[in-house]
Amino acid sequence: DTEVTQTPKHLVMGMTNKKSLKCEQHMGHRAMYWYKQKAKKPPELMFVYSYEKLSINESVPSRFSPECPNSSLLNLHLHALQPEDSALYLCASSQDLGSADTQYFGPGTRLTVL
Amino acid sequence: AQSVTQPDIHITVSEGASLELRCNYSYGATPYLFWYVQSPGQGLQLLLKYFSGDTLVQGIKGFEAEFKRSQSSFNLRKPSVHWSDAAEYFCAVGALRFGNEKLTFGTGTRLTIIP
């Protein structure tokens, strides 16, 4: 099973709202990732967790707050977002952190900020 | 730092025709190379990957890619495309950075299939 699930599929929120995106994998992977993808662009790395600890933060604004409650679950908390934050948010996981480890992607959450 | 170039933004191919998508990479050491496919509004699905060994790599859905170190290329091929192959294709290179992994993606090639 190489499945990464993400909820919700779609999310519409106002600039004053607080919402969360959820990502789950049951492959025993110890590295999990958040990417942001704008239309017609490649995914951009936001955060990387390794063994439930934040390993990489690609200078993401603090209105995005990641959380890794356990090895299977990754959340992205959203607060005071801007319309330019509207995008497809992708979660991925890999066995470990290493160039040879394949990243498996979820279907994404389509976020619209009004 | 590593980089990936996909020179073709958009390619149109007739159903049943052969396909080649180009990918060139820049990296100082042995690269780890990936091809992913993304259908509209969906996540990325891994087609194939190259780490070492045989330079011709077989993937899912009848795709293959050939690693050519002398040309810094990792082109994706399929002998006969199907309408369901219409999607966005991303080439990516993996490399260590400060002991962690970071995938660098190309800008993607959009594939259109005509009947």
Side-chain angles (χ1 to χ4, degrees):
Chain A
D1 181 13
T2 55
E3 189 176 28
V4 176
T5 59
Q6 291 187 243
T7 54
K9 277 182 74 78
H10 301 275
L11 179 62
V12 179
M13 60 186 291
M15 290 190 283
T16 58
N17 291 157
K18 283 186 182 181
K19 296 286 184 183
S20 296
L21 309 185
K22 179 180 169 183
C23 172
E24 203 160 2
Q25 58 87 14
H26 296 286
M27 296 178 277
H29 289 174
R30 304 317 298 256
M32 296 185 77
Y33 311 75
W34 279 116
Y35 287 86
K36 173 183 178 180
Q37 186 179 25
K38 301 285 276 185
K40 301 188 188 304
K41 297 289 187 184
E44 298 173 18
L45 184 66
M46 299 174 72
F47 302 103
V48 181
Y49 273 82
S50 175
Y51 289 84
E52 300 157 48
K53 286 186 170 39
L54 185 63
S55 181
I56 294 177
N57 176 341
E58 292 285 277
S59 303
V60 178
S62 59
R63 56 186 185 269
F64 294 92
S65 175
E67 179 197 19
C68 190
N70 59 60
S71 59
S72 300
L73 193 54
L74 184 66
N75 297 321
L76 186 63
H77 302 298
L78 315 172
H79 174 53
L81 294 193
Q82 304 297 310
E84 59 265 29
D85 296 322
S86 299
L88 182 68
Y89 288 83
L90 295 164
C91 175
S93 71
S94 65
Q95 185 66 42
D96 207 330
L97 282 188
S99 299
D101 288 330
T102 301
Q103 291 187 29
Y104 295 93
F105 285 79
T109 292
R110 174 74 59 191
L111 174 67
T112 303
V113 182
L114 301 176
Chain B
Q2 68 270 23
S3 67
V4 177
T5 302
Q6 292 181 249
D8 303 305
I9 296 173
H10 184 204
I11 283 183
T12 299
V13 176
S14 298
E15 190 168 14
S18 64
L19 170 71
E20 182 168 30
L21 302 183
R22 295 184 291 165
C23 172
N24 293 97
Y25 68 89
S26 173
Y27 183 57
T30 300
Y32 301 114
L33 295 160
F34 305 81
W35 273 102
Y36 284 89
V37 61
Q38 185 177 32
S39 296
Q42 300 297 312
L44 278 70
Q45 181 182 23
L46 179 71
L47 286 175
L48 46 78
K49 59 189 179 187
Y50 171 77
F51 293 158
S52 64
D54 194 346
T55 56
L56 185 61
V57 181
Q58 301 297 320
I60 63 170
K61 304 185 180 189
F63 285 93
E64 67 177 26
E66 187 170 13
F67 171 62
K68 293 185 177 180
R69 185 186 298 277
S70 61
Q71 298 176 20
S72 298
S73 69
F74 188 57
N75 294 348
L76 182 72
R77 300 193 295 248
K78 187 170 185 178
S80 176
V81 297
H82 186 262
W83 63 267
S84 59
D85 293 323
E88 188 86 20
Y89 290 80
F90 292 99
C91 181
V93 60
L96 284 175
R97 186 190 78 154
F98 309 126
N100 293 319
E101 174 183 22
K102 182 181 179 184
L103 271 185
T104 298
F105 288 90
T107 50
T109 297
R110 183 161 60 94
L111 176 64
T112 298
I113 308 294
I114 54 176

